[in-house]
Amino acid sequence: MFATCNADWALKLWDGEMLSSPLFKFNFTDTVSDFDWSPFSATVFAVSTEDGTVRVFDLSVDKYDPLCRQLVTQKKNMHLTRVRFNKEFPFLLAGDDRGYVQSLKLSPNLRQALTSKTYSTETEVAKMDKLIAWVQEPAEHK
């Protein structure tokens, strides 16, 4: 699975084996400047938009809306350009076009996998496979 984002105000998630149309499309109110998959959950990702907002999604919890939304910069002439998960600690970093970096601590429900002893690659692959199957066969899940 991979993502594309750009100045069309949309983020699209694709299955590498089915490129005819995206599995998910999220529309925003501003240019999507960056995207990052979580290192601790296959269904969690973060998006930054140029309006200064970072959103965190977990597709296993809600397939349409972010779990959290945080305004990082409020100045009109500052735009977020990067968002990255820390691979070891429960933090999300957001950088802007002036070189400032904000560190955001993830809420406990978003960082359970970091401390969980049940985390495994197999579990995360199974979560993503279940999500892809749900999207490809939506009539079965109504």
Side-chain angles (χ1 to χ4, degrees), residues 1-5 11-19 21-26 35-38 41-45 57-60 62-63 124-136:
M1 192 165 205
F2 66 95
T4 57
C5 60
L11 168 78
K12 297 175 185 173
L13 298 180
W14 303 81
D15 180 350
E17 296 174 6
M18 279 185 24
L19 296 177
S21 63
L23 293 174
F24 291 97
K25 181 178 179 184
F26 301 91
F35 166 92
D36 195 28
W37 284 113
S38 164
S41 177
T43 58
V44 174
F45 61 89
F57 290 82
D58 185 346
L59 298 176
S60 68
D62 190 325
K63 294 166 187 61
E124 294 306 309
V125 169
K127 271 184 11 183
M128 188 58 77
D129 287 345
K130 181 179 177 182
L131 179 67
I132 291 171
W134 181 88
V135 171
Q136 292 172 345

Side-chain angles (χ1 to χ4, degrees), residues 4-12 25-33 47 49-50:
T4 57
C5 60
N6 58 33
D8 71 354
W9 300 13
L11 168 78
K12 297 175 185 173
K25 181 178 179 184
F26 301 91
N27 293 309
F28 298 95
T29 58
D30 206 340
T31 300
V32 178
S33 56
V47 175
T49 52
E50 285 194 2

Side-chain angles (χ1 to χ4, degrees), residues 1-138:
M1 192 165 205
F2 66 95
T4 57
C5 60
N6 58 33
D8 71 354
W9 300 13
L11 168 78
K12 297 175 185 173
L13 298 180
W14 303 81
D15 180 350
E17 296 174 6
M18 279 185 24
L19 296 177
S20 59
S21 63
L23 293 174
F24 291 97
K25 181 178 179 184
F26 301 91
N27 293 309
F28 298 95
T29 58
D30 206 340
T31 300
V32 178
S33 56
D34 202 14
F35 166 92
D36 195 28
W37 284 113
S38 164
F40 52 84
S41 177
T43 58
V44 174
F45 61 89
V47 175
S48 65
T49 52
E50 285 194 2
D51 65 357
T53 305
V54 171
R55 294 166 180 86
V56 178
F57 290 82
D58 185 346
L59 298 176
S60 68
V61 174
D62 190 325
K63 294 166 187 61
Y64 306 104
D65 294 314
L67 292 182
C68 65
R69 178 180 296 130
Q70 179 67 45
L71 183 62
V72 176
T73 180
Q74 297 180 9
K75 296 185 179 178
K76 290 183 181 183
N77 295 329
M78 295 176 76
H79 305 287
L80 286 183
T81 57
R82 295 286 181 255
V83 63
R84 289 291 176 264
F85 283 95
N86 185 299
K87 296 192 185 324
E88 294 183 40
F89 300 105
F91 292 98
L92 187 66
L93 302 175
D96 65 35
D97 59 352
R98 298 217 178 156
Y100 294 105
V101 176
Q102 299 283 331
S103 178
L104 308 166
K105 189 172 183 179
L106 297 173
S107 67
N109 63 327
L110 289 173
R111 53 186 157 135
Q112 287 175 343
L114 286 173
T115 58
S116 174
K117 294 182 181 179
T118 60
Y119 174 84
S120 71
T121 302
E122 294 80 20
T123 303
E124 294 306 309
V125 169
K127 271 184 11 183
M128 188 58 77
D129 287 345
K130 181 179 177 182
L131 179 67
I132 291 171
W134 181 88
V135 171
Q136 292 172 345
E137 312 250 350

